[in-house]
Amino acid sequence: MYLCEAQTGRHYTVKRIDLPFETERRLEALGMTSDAPVSVLSRKGRGILIIKLRGTRFALGYNITKNIQVEEASERSDTEDGTV
């Protein structure tokens, strides 16, 4: 699924970013890399998403979020089953 389809209040993991080189590098500099955890905080008008990425809130437009593939993060942590 793409980040633009994500639901508010859910947690996701970035799988792939398909953006122009400069935009992709800028997002990487801000911490959005493969396997980075992302939370969707809210939606604003015209497809703008407010996300939380590595402890910082960002607003991303539809033209960016439609090119970021994510998958829903597992709710279960590794420590719940006793492994560390």
Side-chain angles (χ1 to χ4, degrees):
M1 88 185 308
Y2 289 95
L3 189 55
C4 64
E5 302 165 348
Q7 295 180 1
T8 303
R10 300 262 177 125
H11 304 284
Y12 298 90
T13 303
V14 175
K15 289 298 158 193
R16 183 175 169 164
I17 302 172
D18 294 315
L19 288 165
F21 181 79
E22 296 83 14
T23 306
E24 190 171 334
R25 291 298 168 258
R26 177 66 177 147
L27 288 175
E28 286 179 359
L30 295 171
M32 184 173 284
T33 58
S34 184
D35 295 326
V38 175
S39 299
V40 178
L41 301 177
S42 64
R43 292 181 168 277
K44 300 294 178 186
R46 301 204 177 200
I48 297 171
L49 285 182
I50 308 298
I51 64 166
K52 188 171 187 178
L53 173 67
R54 300 188 189 272
T56 305
R57 291 170 43 139
F58 292 99
L60 299 176
Y62 178 76
N63 287 331
I64 292 177
T65 60
K66 71 178 183 179
N67 293 301
I68 299 173
Q69 288 184 335
V70 295
E71 70 178 18
E72 193 157 1
S74 172
E75 294 296 323
R76 184 177 161 194
S77 70
D78 291 338
T79 57
E80 287 180 349
D81 64 357
T83 60
V84 179

